[in-house]
Amino acid sequence: MLQYYSNSNDDATTHQIAKEAVEAIPTNPVILFYAGMISLVKDEKEESLSYILEMVKNTNYSDSTLTEINATAHALLVDLYLIDKKNYPKAVEACEMALTLNPANPIVLNNCAYVFALQNEQLDRAEQLSSKSLEYEPMNVSFLDTYAYILFKQQRYEIALFFIEKAIEYNKAGEEKAVIYERYGDILYFLNKQETALEMWKKALELTKETNELLEQKIKTKKYVE
């Protein structure tokens, strides 16, 4: 049932089934993984982190049938530590584990590339990991955005522009992401296209669902700020 509803759009039912499944079999790593995933979809970050940490504690790393799910779980931990806890050291630790478990998993490659780039550390490694993720999924909007971000960090603005525009191109109507348009504005700003950059920042603000003081400051000052 959990697998079935996970492929549906009924997140509320999936979330309830996941909770019941964990209560019934509290140490099953697959069930805990699904529970963590759907909790994150429901924006229950603390709950998601709890499930995934429990999954990691109860999984079998020597079981080859769980290799992929274990790697993905650690990649998910990267997101949770950054989104909810802002815990960069823990995110890096989760990345190293995920890369050890499955260095060919495109989600792992993308998430770890992003976390390495966030603090301007290991940018060359981040670029290599991100580039490899795009070899697997060249039209993945999130992967393109990550690669553009890393190139931006490396001050390779012309190439960054190419990849962020690809992300915009492949982004489906109705699913536009504020972060992509903000990134687009950042890149345009450093290419001396300040007016267009301001337009993109304003579009990002229209799309954003949470308070973004940094973005608001960019619009107010008409300048890039970190």
Side-chain angles (χ1 to χ4, degrees):
M1 286 178 68
L2 189 55
Q3 288 179 325
Y4 172 79
Y5 279 100
S6 293
N7 294 322
S8 71
N9 293 320
D10 191 348
D11 295 335
T13 302
T14 310
H15 193 217
Q16 183 58 38
I17 291 172
K19 286 187 173 184
E20 292 175 7
V22 170
E23 288 178 9
I25 317 176
T27 60
N28 184 289
V30 177
I31 288 175
L32 287 164
F33 176 77
Y34 273 107
M37 289 286 286
I38 191 60
S39 295
L40 185 57
V41 170
K42 293 286 290 178
D43 204 34
E44 299 287 346
K45 301 183 186 71
E46 289 285 351
E47 183 179 84
S48 178
L49 181 61
S50 175
Y51 282 138
I52 297 301
L53 287 174
E54 194 67 18
M55 179 259 175
V56 167
K57 185 171 73 175
N58 286 283
T59 197
N60 181 356
Y61 287 102
S62 63
D63 185 344
S64 60
T65 65
L66 295 174
T67 299
E68 190 75 27
I69 200 171
N70 285 335
T72 305
H74 282 277
L76 184 58
L77 278 178
V78 173
D79 284 343
L80 290 168
Y81 281 131
L82 291 177
I83 295 170
D84 193 38
K85 299 294 185 182
K86 307 297 181 188
N87 193 331
Y88 181 70
K90 282 286 187 181
V92 170
E93 183 182 311
C95 266
E96 298 294 2
M97 185 63 169
L99 288 167
T100 300
L101 289 168
N102 194 339
N105 182 309
I107 296 174
V108 169
L109 292 167
N110 175 73
N111 288 14
C112 292
Y114 181 70
V115 75
F116 291 145
L118 268 177
Q119 301 292 316
N120 287 317
E121 295 180 7
Q122 304 187 66
L123 284 179
D124 289 342
R125 185 185 183 194
E127 192 273 333
Q128 291 170 4
L129 294 173
S130 183
S131 176
K132 193 172 180 181
S133 75
L134 284 170
E135 290 178 14
Y136 290 100
E137 298 183 29
M139 296 175 66
N140 186 303
V141 173
S142 294
F143 294 3
L144 287 163
D145 173 60
T146 297
Y147 196 53
Y149 175 64
I150 295 166
L151 293 169
F152 172 78
K153 286 277 190 174
Q154 293 177 324
Q155 300 181 10
R156 298 163 66 186
Y157 303 123
E158 291 285 357
I159 308 174
L161 180 66
F162 172 83
F163 283 97
I164 202 66
E165 287 182 339
K166 283 296 178 186
I168 297 284
E169 178 185 342
Y170 297 142
N171 205 187
K172 295 179 181 178
E175 297 180 9
E176 292 93 343
K177 298 179 180 179
V179 66
I180 295 176
Y181 284 94
E182 183 177 358
R183 192 102 64 220
Y184 193 17
D186 295 346
I187 294 167
L188 288 167
Y189 181 86
F190 282 95
L191 288 171
N192 297 316
K193 298 179 180 179
Q194 283 81 8
E195 288 187 11
T196 314
L198 183 59
E199 290 176 12
M200 293 304 107
W201 288 336
K202 288 180 178 178
K203 184 172 179 63
L205 189 62
E206 291 173 6
L207 293 169
T208 194
K209 297 177 180 178
E210 298 177 358
T211 302
N212 187 332
E213 294 179 0
L214 197 62
L215 177 57
E216 291 174 0
Q217 192 176 351
K218 290 175 185 177
I219 294 170
K220 183 178 180 179
T221 62
K222 298 181 181 180
K223 293 181 179 179
Y224 173 79
V225 288
E226 292 185 334

